[in-house]
């Protein structure tokens, strides 16, 4: 079932640094792995992040890349 999940693209370093600048991610308390996750999610339509990491979750929400549970 994991193979059925959408896969994110690996972002090249130059594009990643541009993403950091464009999204003002410096000084937000997230690390490079988190930035890679955000940039990869942003690079492909339909991919969102589901995390319990508070700082990553805050940035994902700010960038509209966070998973939002639909009410049932």
């Amino acid at each position: 079932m994991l193979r059925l999940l959408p896969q994110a693209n690996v972002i090249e370093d130059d594009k990643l640094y541009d993403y950091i600048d464009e999204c003002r991610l410096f000084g937000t308390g997230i690390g490079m792995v988190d930035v890679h996750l955000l940039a990869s999610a942003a690079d492909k339509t339909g991919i969102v992040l589901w995390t319990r990491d508070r700082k990553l979750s805050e940035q994902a929400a700010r960038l509209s890349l966070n998973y939002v549970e639909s009410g049932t």
Side-chain angles (χ1 to χ4, degrees), residues 5 16-17 19 24 32 34-36 42 45-46 53 60 63 68 70:
L5 293 172
L16 185 70
Y17 298 137
Y19 186 75
R24 300 176 186 231
M32 287 301 285
D34 295 339
V35 173
H36 271 280
T45 302
D53 181 282
L63 299 169
V68 178
S70 60

Side-chain angles (χ1 to χ4, degrees), residues 2 5 8 16 21 23 26 28 30 35 39-40 44 47-51 53 55 57 65-66 68 72:
L2 288 175
L5 293 172
L16 185 70
D21 287 338
C23 296
F26 44 87
T28 60
I30 63 173
V35 173
S40 292
K44 192 167 185 178
I47 294 182
V48 293
L49 298 179
W50 181 23
T51 180
D53 181 282
K55 291 186 179 193
S57 181
L65 296 171
N66 59 317
V68 178
T72 53

